[in-house]
Amino acid sequence: MTTAQDTARRVTKRRARTRANLLDAAFAVFAAKGFGRVSIEEVCEAAGYSRGAFYSNFATLDELFFALYQERADLIAAQVADALAQDGPDLDVPASVDRVTEVLLLDVDWLLVKTDFLVHAARDPAVAQALLDHRTRLREAIADRLFRARGHTELPAVLGDADGAARAVVAAYDGVTTQLLLDKDVDAARTWLGQLLTALLTDGSGTPA
């Protein structure tokens, strides 16, 4: 016998699946056309849903775009944190860099969407704050790992403290991903990012400063 609780659970699962499908479809459409050139109808058509299904999950296209960015941004922050959590107190910089660059989401379509979001954020303070919050979480995950390695692994003095080093790491990632947008060479981006981060956090030879 089906209970009201069972029915509610199925409705919740179906709604979550619809939301996920809308986000996946929107990602493909945004990456292909750009956020400012996409309509709700195009997202619905790509997902195979009606406008009603869209509005049962999102009030506006901006809200969907924000949710899409948040989902991917949280994934990246989690990837970095998990990769950095595997060492003991003594930070093996080359090994940690290898793990981060191996799992880090370096995807041209994501970078196109992320760049659209950055441009959008530059014109909307509320959206800008969401972007800043994500970057803070990413930077704090890196800084926390570097801070825990203090006394075991010395960073180059020019970077200052762990937070300064974390800012430099994020800046390096930004630079490499900008190049990736232009040449579309993911393998080269991973290699270059690994080399750049190792040089940044060590004396250039892979040995802590």
Side-chain angles (χ1 to χ4, degrees):
M1 181 177 178
T2 301
T3 66
Q5 188 176 25
D6 290 334
T7 300
R9 189 179 297 114
R10 283 200 300 272
V11 169
T12 299
K13 285 185 177 179
R14 184 167 62 248
R15 182 171 182 179
R17 186 165 57 248
T18 299
R19 179 184 174 88
N21 289 340
L22 283 166
L23 287 170
D24 286 344
F27 179 81
V29 176
F30 287 145
K33 299 188 67 174
F35 172 66
R37 297 190 176 118
V38 173
S39 67
I40 291 174
E41 288 76 11
E42 287 174 300
V43 173
C44 292
E45 182 179 354
Y49 292 122
S50 66
R51 287 176 65 94
F54 179 93
Y55 285 117
S56 70
N57 288 276
F58 305 101
T60 65
L61 200 60
D62 277 28
E63 184 180 320
L64 181 149
F65 192 48
F66 182 92
L68 177 63
Y69 176 83
Q70 196 72 37
E71 179 184 75
R72 301 288 170 131
D74 287 346
L75 171 63
I76 289 174
Q79 287 175 330
V80 171
D82 288 347
L84 291 175
Q86 297 180 35
D87 282 328
D90 187 16
L91 179 64
D92 183 339
V93 171
S96 293
V97 167
D98 284 347
R99 281 199 303 273
V100 169
T101 55
E102 182 180 350
V103 303
L104 193 59
L105 181 63
L106 285 174
D107 175 76
V108 174
D109 284 347
W110 158 242
L111 294 175
L112 288 168
V113 172
K114 176 186 168 186
T115 301
D116 270 351
F117 194 83
L118 176 61
V119 173
H120 189 44
R123 296 184 173 93
D124 186 324
V127 178
Q129 189 57 55
L131 183 57
L132 289 170
D133 287 346
H134 160 62
R135 291 176 72 81
T136 297
R137 291 200 309 276
L138 181 61
R139 191 177 67 249
E140 286 178 346
I142 298 168
D144 178 67
R145 181 65 191 90
L146 296 174
F147 183 76
R148 285 188 287 112
R150 72 193 189 286
H152 300 273
T153 304
E154 185 179 352
L155 296 171
V158 69
L159 296 178
D161 58 10
D163 186 64
R167 289 178 185 275
V169 168
V170 173
Y173 170 72
D174 286 341
V176 169
T177 53
T178 297
Q179 181 65 31
L180 175 58
L181 271 177
L182 300 176
D183 61 27
K184 310 293 192 295
D185 192 335
V186 175
D187 290 338
R190 289 195 190 282
T191 298
W192 176 233
L193 182 60
Q195 292 171 344
L196 185 57
L197 292 182
T198 299
L200 183 68
L201 297 175
T202 68
D203 61 4
S205 65
T207 303

